[in-house]
Amino acid sequence: MSRLYDSRKRILVTGGAGFIGSHLVDRLLGEGHEVLCVDNLFTGTKRNIEHLHDNPRFEFMRHDVTFPLYVEVDEIYNLACPASPVHYQHDPVQTTKTSVHGAINVLGLAKRLGCKVLQASTSEVYGDPEVHPQVEGYWGHVNPVGPRSCYDEGKRCAETLFFDYHRQHGVEIKVARIFNTYGPRMHHADGRVVSNFLVQALRGEDITLFGDGRQTRSFCYVDDLVEGLVSLMATGPEVTGPVNLGNPHEFTMRELAERVIALTGSGAEMSERPLPLDDPRQRRPDITLARDLLDWTPRVELAEGLAETMHYMKRRLAELDEVTRT
């Protein structure tokens, strides 16, 4: 008992009521830590953390990270920011402020406390890449004035701030570049391809393919991603990142649609729509660095992860239908 107490940390997770954040909170609590979950519930939801409210080591604070946060913690995971195009384009100014002001505030807190801070960055920093697969040393091909720029450039600026605080103030930082992640607790209407395809197939609707469906993505199951984040945080001060975290197995959107149709038993057809502006043509991480530094590689195959996500989406759609009927 004393050994567990000595190793227990009080850990702040911003964006902790979100899709990835809530799974990270579960993992940290499962390791015996105390967790302070901070979220303004713009895209996060209390539903994702309602099973934790009786846990004496869990605390929830409704707060917007664009404002300073005055708490005492041992580590910080900064996951606060809408991550799907539908959500981050809804209020692009606020999205940029969340990335930039949020980074300044968590870094200022980490500086004051002398603690580690991990930034959940994104593969979107690579933009529509001209290097494939993407390695951490690639600077990216990003449109700074397009509809996705609030997220892409916001996250790029956040990385800049993390490294400047590290160089100027000695803050111990970790930067993870997260590639497409999926799994239970995804928002059913977040506009991301896995949730879109599953919801459309389960509702018996045609599956929407943007463009010709030959653009690619690599899909990492949420449990694997959380393992990568925790492993990165556990490294020593010499490891700052950025480190790619994602699944290197690449699929076209048409292949994903075919898998979803087969999995759900849907008779859905595929309906092509114009490709959105600045939508990347291909996306696949080079995870050599994560393998070497963290001994990390994804383990959950797409078939297994899609099945788990489908079961969640079925339950969620049934809940929504019940609400509609009442």
Side-chain angles (χ1 to χ4, degrees):
M1 239 347 236
S2 61
R3 222 172 359 191
L4 174 63
Y5 181 81
D6 289 342
S7 64
R8 179 182 292 176
K9 297 173 184 173
R10 179 167 167 80
I11 301 175
L12 167 63
V13 180
T14 69
F19 160 47
I20 294 174
S22 62
H23 285 278
L24 176 61
V25 168
D26 284 344
R27 168 64 182 267
L28 296 173
L29 288 170
E31 291 184 347
H33 301 298
E34 297 178 19
V35 177
L36 172 59
C37 169
V38 168
D39 205 300
N40 68 354
L41 302 180
F42 175 63
T43 56
T45 172
K46 289 183 178 178
R47 185 187 311 105
N48 289 339
I49 53 173
E50 63 186 357
H51 62 290
L52 300 174
H53 286 301
D54 291 333
N55 189 321
R57 290 181 285 105
F58 174 76
E59 180 182 353
F60 173 71
M61 177 187 297
R62 187 163 184 170
H63 179 84
D64 188 325
V65 296
T66 63
F67 298 95
L69 188 60
Y70 302 100
V71 296
E72 303 295 321
V73 294
D74 301 305
E75 288 180 350
I76 304 169
Y77 289 83
N78 184 36
L79 276 69
C81 191
S84 76
V86 168
H87 291 150
Y88 67 62
Q89 291 177 23
H90 173 73
D91 189 343
V93 172
Q94 184 64 23
T95 295
T96 303
K97 288 172 68 176
T98 300
S99 289
V100 177
H101 292 184
I104 291 169
N105 287 329
V106 298
L107 285 161
L109 178 62
K111 177 187 171 187
R112 178 176 70 82
L113 298 174
C115 71
K116 294 183 186 179
V117 57
L118 183 147
Q119 167 68 1
S121 191
T122 172
S123 61
E124 296 295 335
V125 301
Y126 298 120
D128 189 5
E130 296 176 326
V131 170
H132 192 74
Q134 291 78 60
V135 294
E136 289 86 351
Y138 175 53
W139 292 354
H141 178 230
V142 179
N143 178 0
V145 294
R148 301 169 70 101
S149 305
C150 57
Y151 186 66
D152 301 359
E153 296 288 37
K155 289 288 192 177
R156 285 163 68 93
C157 185
E159 286 196 15
T160 299
L161 286 161
F162 265 70
F163 279 91
D164 284 341
Y165 265 77
H166 172 65
R167 286 184 289 256
Q168 186 173 342
H169 300 298
V171 174
E172 187 173 352
I173 64 166
K174 314 290 177 183
V175 176
R177 288 180 177 163
I178 298 172
F179 283 67
N180 291 64
T181 303
Y182 71 101
R185 300 182 197 160
M186 293 186 81
H187 195 288
H188 69 282
D190 69 2
R192 286 185 273 199
V193 65
V194 171
S195 51
N196 273 5
F197 285 5
L198 282 170
V199 168
Q200 288 175 329
L202 290 170
R203 285 178 168 165
E205 301 169 357
D206 286 346
I207 288 182
T208 303
L209 280 181
F210 291 103
D212 58 12
R214 286 188 287 185
Q215 66 271 37
T216 67
R217 296 292 184 273
S218 305
F219 301 103
C220 186
Y221 191 64
V222 65
D223 290 353
D224 284 334
L225 188 278
V226 166
E227 177 68 27
L229 293 174
V230 172
S231 297
L232 178 57
M233 181 64 97
T235 57
E238 72 282 357
V239 177
T240 59
V243 176
N244 288 339
L245 294 179
N247 196 312
H249 297 293
E250 191 174 10
F251 297 89
T252 69
M253 298 301 91
R254 191 171 291 275
E255 287 174 319
L256 179 66
E258 290 168 351
R259 283 176 174 248
V260 167
I261 290 169
L263 176 66
T264 58
S266 167
E269 300 290 335
M270 298 185 207
S271 174
E272 294 185 6
R273 302 266 182 90
L275 197 64
L277 185 63
D278 296 332
D279 192 61
R281 294 160 297 167
Q282 52 188 7
R283 189 61 64 70
R284 175 162 68 95
D286 182 310
I287 62 167
T288 302
L289 197 58
R291 287 194 184 108
D292 292 346
L293 293 177
L294 313 179
D295 192 25
W296 177 86
T297 188
R299 300 182 183 279
V300 179
E301 297 291 338
L302 184 62
E304 179 186 351
L306 277 180
E308 291 294 325
T309 310
M310 180 192 68
H311 296 320
Y312 170 81
M313 285 296 175
K314 273 186 175 179
R315 294 193 299 271
R316 183 69 189 123
L317 293 178
E319 291 170 0
L320 292 169
D321 290 342
E322 182 64 28
V323 169
T324 301
R325 284 194 294 270
T326 57

